[in-house]
Amino acid sequence: MANPRIFRSFTAIALPIRPQTARCASQRLAPVSIQCRRSTRASSSNSGEKRPKGPDTDSLPHVSEEAAATAKITGDKGPDIQQGTPVQEVIKGKKELHDKLPKVMQDEKSSTEPPSGTRSFSTVARRQEDLQTLPSTPSSLPPTLIPSSSLPLSTGVKFGTPTLPLPPQTHLKHRDDPIVQQVTTLLMRHGKLSVAQHNMSFILSHLRTAPPPKLNPARPLVAGHPPPHQLPLDPVMYLTLAIDSIGPLVRIRSQKGAAGGGQALQIPVPLRQRQRRRQAVMWILAAAEKRAGKGGTKNMFAQKVADEVVAVVEGRSSVWERRNQLHRIAVSNRSNVGYKKQPGRR
Amino acid sequence: LNIKKKERKDDGGRRPAVGERKAQRTRVVISNTNALNVPDIELMTAEGVVDENNVGKVMALPVTTVDSLRAVGAFKNTQGWKFFRTPSTLIRKETVEMARKLDEAAKGEAIRQVLIGEKKSGKSVLLLQALAHAFMRDWVVINYREARELTMGFTDYAPIPNTDPTRYSQPALTATLLTSIVQANRDILSKLTTALTHNPPVTLPQGTSLLRLAELATNDPDIALPVFHALWSELTYKPPADAPPASQRPPVLLAVDALAHFMRPSAYLSADAQTIHAHDLDLIQHFSSCLSGASALPNGGAVIAAMNNSDVPSAKSLNFALARAEAIQKAKKAEGEAVDVPTWNPYEELDERVFGCFDPAVVEVVRLGGVSKEEARGVMDYWIKSGMCRKEMRSKMVNELWTLSGRGVIGELER
């Protein structure tokens, strides 16, 4: 077995496998043997001249670079500097270097002597990429049974077949915009979905008929939104804009006792889009509940929510303050982002 | 178990004033400044409605007509007026037919119609178009706003002396009706003068304008009913052919939406704590006698009632009478084809007063179905142009939506 320490030091200078390894493959080497030594100076040689030189920075060039320079003088084709040179090529034919090689390579060298047998075929595993590009074998099935784009799919169908995949929102139960669906279910109380849907339709028609919002430059909305006078014509976008503009990017997770002294450590955790929207809607609903009523009507709650949505877009809502506060906490605790609970610690 | 009375949380807002909630609930908005202006929309005219080529077009109502229609309460807040820039309606095949019949009726022979049909098939809007056409033709239009309010028993009422069976007056509602007549027909009423002498309390010299007559009671509910009857007798007065123009009488359109409320026992109670039938209320009796043909309209005109299919009380006798009248009229048209005429269940009591109102020879039953595909295309084009619908219109989409809406039931299409 190879010494793990030596192995580790060896792989530190290793390059990933190159796609073009014809020479290496022809030698039928094990994975270790095709590692290459990176000619690190090749890429940094141009920019190195600009740097101020220290007393001992002017060292000898790499063997491959030296060989390339020699080949240029003599007019031969030297090694490709961009590719790097396999270690095996460097030590090839240099018996005196054999003793100085790491033990893995010494063992490897003895095992990679050409085999004495007369096997006429290669036993090297075929690479996956080659397999994938193999032409498919012709099928013995009759052509009518093989699905093909040339055959009309709609034979025997009176109105033709729908183009697949079906566009989103064609399913009866998911026909609404995703955000409308999410907000509707968040509006729902006591499992009364149809009441929630009624409220949602009230909110959307209020957004459609209310005067266009006056934007507040101090409260920037999501970038790339349409101008405010166009918003009432697309109430779903109006609602989406309000929700996405105040959706927080993170939540704060409190890890008990992790800050030392029994104090909780506040860890910012990123949220997915749906989670962000949910938080934004919950904030809007909470703010709407606190609004003063304008004389009771049947749709008073929906009226309050609709007013709050407009207030969010106009930057008047208290939800903005809430969001900014959360982001401030998250930024001040940003060093805790990678925190993982230590095993064995409570 | 916690049976302690919960303390009501005060939300900090002020309590609504008396009537404020209702005002907010029934508020009708007929314009939306956010909606796009449809540039090429035509203005509805009396001649345009009669023209068959305009079927499938959406036409905007003229401003004066809109004011009159508002005054008679033709717009409902359940209809989608609040989404568009100006109130506009689709001219459909039935609209043209209705307008032509109204023009015929102006010549002397009054028509009596009941509009029936599926939910959201456009009965109320067709009634509105009939009202609009009548306004544009300078008719006198009387629309009984909310049929429900007349029978729900929320307003004052009193037995009318010397009537048998006892009839009841509804002073406040009569005054409201007179107010809406005055507001909607101000121009035409001011041109006409009284030709008859009336009994007290209506004391006006002959030759006073009808507007003045109607205005007598707008602020005085006590004399509202006599004034209403005086006004009606003036409107149905048949002047001699050589009478001056001020004594000539225009046709009258009498209309009501949600007819079912008029054709069943009302919520009012008599002195014996018995339910009062809606036909014992004088205002409703007036309408039903006009509808049944018992009261004539000698100067021409029309009586149109629309049925209402959502949030209506059950009126079995009415439904039976309408179904029977429709079947008989269908059989008459088909000539020879067998048509099933429904029969009444003998174990139930038939409301004879209601049934008697709908003589198939007098009252025409008009059934409204869905709009045609061309009409659907026209109205969807209007929705797209006003920015309501953000889709590209293709004939495939029109067909799909037309089918999905139950073969063009307009209200379902609107969803």
Side-chain angles (χ1 to χ4, degrees):
Chain A
M1 280 297 287
N3 184 350
R5 220 173 66 195
I6 296 171
F7 186 79
R8 203 179 295 151
S9 67
F10 180 71
T11 50
I13 58 158
L15 269 182
I17 302 169
R18 288 178 297 158
Q20 185 216 352
T21 51
R23 277 179 297 183
C24 304
S26 66
Q27 292 167 351
R28 271 187 265 146
L29 298 177
V32 175
S33 66
I34 58 165
Q35 306 296 337
C36 303
R37 208 162 135 196
R38 181 196 276 270
S39 60
T40 46
R41 300 189 41 137
S43 58
S44 65
S45 58
N46 293 336
S47 57
E49 288 170 7
K50 286 170 193 165
R51 271 185 261 148
K53 281 183 180 176
D56 55 355
T57 49
D58 198 11
S59 57
L60 282 172
H62 191 266
V63 273
S64 305
E65 284 174 319
E66 201 179 333
T70 316
K72 200 180 175 188
I73 293 162
T74 55
D76 289 343
K77 206 180 169 192
D80 186 3
I81 303 172
Q82 299 299 321
Q83 290 289 338
T85 316
V87 179
Q88 284 73 21
E89 267 182 48
V90 177
I91 59 167
K92 197 176 178 185
K94 294 182 178 168
K95 288 270 167 60
E96 70 276 12
L97 285 175
H98 185 262
D99 297 339
K100 292 171 184 168
L101 281 176
K103 187 158 185 299
V104 264
M105 287 192 74
Q106 286 176 6
D107 295 348
E108 199 61 40
K109 197 139 180 62
S110 56
S111 69
T112 52
E113 293 296 319
S116 56
T118 54
R119 200 184 286 158
S120 60
F121 56 90
S122 166
T123 54
V124 174
R126 198 188 291 276
R127 296 190 64 193
Q128 198 63 29
E129 294 146 32
D130 299 340
L131 270 180
Q132 282 169 354
T133 53
L134 273 179
S136 57
T137 50
S139 172
S140 60
L141 287 170
T144 48
L145 291 181
I146 304 168
S148 112
S149 57
S150 61
L151 281 175
L153 283 169
S154 54
T155 44
V157 185
K158 190 174 175 189
F159 295 109
T161 49
T163 46
L164 294 172
L166 290 174
Q169 300 171 23
T170 41
H171 191 279
L172 171 70
K173 292 197 171 173
H174 312 293
R175 63 186 183 278
D176 289 336
D177 193 273
I179 197 161
V180 170
Q181 208 154 8
Q182 190 180 10
V183 177
T184 308
T185 44
L186 288 172
L187 277 174
M188 179 163 62
R189 295 283 177 269
H190 313 300
K192 294 186 175 178
L193 181 62
S194 66
V195 174
Q197 282 166 338
H198 185 263
N199 284 341
M200 189 72 220
S201 101
F202 180 91
I203 291 168
L204 292 180
S205 52
H206 180 88
L207 293 182
R208 197 185 274 283
T209 50
K214 296 176 191 72
L215 302 189
N216 180 0
R219 305 283 197 203
L221 302 171
V222 171
H225 64 82
H229 68 271
Q230 284 183 13
L231 286 175
L233 288 176
D234 194 351
V236 176
M237 173 173 285
Y238 199 158
L239 182 72
T240 312
L241 178 65
I243 289 174
D244 281 352
S245 297
I246 52 158
L249 298 173
V250 289
R251 73 183 167 94
I252 303 293
R253 183 166 75 85
S254 283
Q255 179 69 47
K256 246 188 210 170
Q263 279 194 326
L265 189 68
Q266 294 193 310
I267 306 163
V269 181
L271 297 177
R272 292 193 305 271
Q273 189 191 42
R274 199 177 155 81
Q275 293 173 316
R276 291 209 298 268
R277 285 176 170 174
R278 178 180 183 280
Q279 188 58 67
V281 175
M282 297 315 274
W283 282 345
I284 288 176
L285 293 185
E289 272 187 2
K290 282 188 199 129
R291 285 183 94 91
K294 289 182 186 173
T297 54
K298 205 164 67 178
N299 290 317
M300 194 163 69
F301 181 62
Q303 174 81 48
K304 285 179 177 182
V305 176
D307 286 344
E308 191 63 34
V309 170
V310 177
V312 163
V313 174
E314 293 190 343
R316 293 183 279 110
S317 175
S318 61
V319 175
W320 282 100
E321 210 38 62
R322 218 165 160 175
R323 173 189 196 258
N324 291 349
Q325 199 180 353
L326 179 79
H327 280 189
R328 256 199 306 278
I329 294 172
V331 168
S332 62
N333 289 296
R334 63 190 181 279
S335 57
N336 302 338
V337 165
Y339 175 81
K340 281 210 177 68
K341 206 177 169 187
Q342 302 272 323
R345 278 191 64 174
R346 286 205 295 153
Chain B
L1 180 72
N2 188 3
I3 54 169
K4 226 165 60 178
K5 204 174 174 189
K6 273 183 196 160
E7 228 175 83
R8 206 179 63 180
K9 231 169 53 180
D10 192 0
D11 66 352
R14 69 183 168 82
R15 296 285 108 204
V18 175
E20 193 182 336
R21 289 188 193 199
K22 189 178 178 194
Q24 209 166 1
R25 196 174 65 234
T26 54
R27 194 165 52 114
V28 180
V29 181
I30 52 171
S31 174
N32 177 15
T33 46
N34 294 331
L36 303 179
N37 199 10
V38 183
D40 55 350
I41 195 163
E42 286 178 38
L43 214 59
M44 194 164 155
T45 55
E47 289 72 32
V49 179
V50 186
D51 189 358
E52 221 164 39
N53 298 326
N54 287 331
V55 170
K57 278 188 192 165
V58 175
M59 288 182 154
L61 294 162
V63 180
T64 49
T65 313
V66 169
D67 291 344
S68 301
L69 289 172
R70 257 191 109 101
V72 296
F75 297 107
K76 312 253 180 252
N77 65 350
T78 48
Q79 296 161 344
W81 308 109
K82 65 174 174 180
F83 294 119
F84 299 95
R85 183 60 80 97
T86 50
S88 317
T89 54
L90 171 72
I91 307 298
R92 47 196 285 190
K93 201 170 83 265
E94 290 86 349
T95 313
V96 174
E97 279 171 20
M98 167 76 84
R100 284 183 178 167
K101 277 180 190 164
L102 288 179
D103 285 354
E104 281 293 309
K107 289 169 189 161
E109 188 72 19
I111 56 161
R112 296 173 165 85
Q113 281 191 339
V114 179
L115 309 179
I116 61 170
E118 273 181 70
K119 259 187 193 180
K120 292 186 171 287
S121 55
K123 302 176 289 293
S124 299
V125 173
L126 184 60
L127 182 65
L128 179 140
Q129 286 172 333
L131 293 171
H133 187 67
F135 278 122
M136 288 186 289
R137 289 281 193 215
D138 288 334
W139 290 25
V140 173
V141 176
I142 300 174
N143 185 33
Y144 278 65
R145 293 179 158 263
E146 287 288 319
R148 187 200 193 97
E149 290 205 340
L150 269 76
T151 58
M152 73 201 293
F154 277 25
T155 54
D156 53 346
Y157 66 111
I160 300 171
N162 309 323
T163 48
D164 186 38
T166 316
R167 284 218 302 274
Y168 294 83
S169 66
Q170 293 165 292
L173 287 171
T174 315
T176 317
L177 181 62
L178 278 171
T179 310
S180 79
I181 292 172
V182 166
Q183 283 175 351
N185 305 288
R186 187 174 288 278
D187 286 349
I188 181 78
L189 286 183
S190 59
K191 284 177 198 158
L192 305 174
T193 54
T194 51
L196 307 169
T197 43
H198 302 286
N199 302 327
V202 186
T203 47
L204 279 176
Q206 254 189 19
T208 324
S209 77
L210 291 189
L211 183 70
R212 178 84 189 82
L213 171 66
E215 276 176 344
L216 273 183
T218 49
N219 289 323
D220 189 1
D222 292 341
I223 56 164
L225 197 62
V227 168
F228 179 73
H229 283 297
L231 181 65
W232 184 256
S233 59
E234 287 288 350
L235 289 174
T236 50
Y237 162 68
K238 181 84 181 165
D242 56 344
S247 295
Q248 297 293 344
R249 295 291 182 248
V252 182
L253 174 60
L254 201 58
V256 72
D257 201 354
L259 178 70
H261 291 281
F262 280 8
M263 297 293 161
R264 63 190 303 277
S266 75
Y268 288 101
L269 293 182
S270 69
D272 316 327
Q274 299 296 309
T275 316
I276 298 174
H277 195 279
H279 286 198
D280 286 335
L281 300 168
D282 194 75
L283 276 183
I284 297 176
Q285 168 61 35
H286 177 254
F287 182 85
S288 60
S289 66
C290 289
L291 180 65
S292 65
S295 300
L297 296 171
N299 300 311
V303 184
I304 305 176
M307 289 290 283
N308 192 342
N309 280 358
S310 55
D311 194 19
V312 278
S314 79
K316 281 186 180 172
S317 301
L318 169 67
N319 293 342
F320 168 70
L322 290 178
R324 181 173 167 276
E326 190 190 9
I328 289 172
Q329 282 162 15
K330 204 173 166 186
K332 202 175 168 190
K333 263 186 207 166
E335 281 183 11
E337 256 181 64
V339 177
D340 280 343
V341 177
T343 50
W344 181 253
N345 177 5
Y347 297 100
E348 277 190 79
E349 199 182 342
L350 179 68
D351 192 339
E352 291 286 352
R353 300 170 75 175
V354 170
F355 184 71
C357 284
F358 300 95
D359 180 0
V362 178
V363 181
E364 188 192 358
V365 178
V366 178
R367 179 171 284 278
L368 244 69
V371 295
S372 72
K373 280 188 187 171
E374 289 70 38
E375 289 161 358
R377 199 184 173 83
V379 73
M380 282 160 79
D381 189 39
Y382 172 66
W383 292 339
I384 290 169
K385 279 180 182 165
S386 12
M388 265 292 285
C389 177
R390 297 171 77 86
K391 278 177 193 161
E392 200 185 336
M393 192 171 65
R394 298 209 178 100
S395 60
K396 191 182 173 214
M397 188 183 91
V398 175
N399 287 350
E400 273 179 8
L401 289 176
W402 183 82
T403 310
L404 278 178
S405 60
R407 299 177 68 82
V409 174
I410 184 88
E412 301 290 336
L413 200 67
E414 205 176 317
R415 295 185 175 184

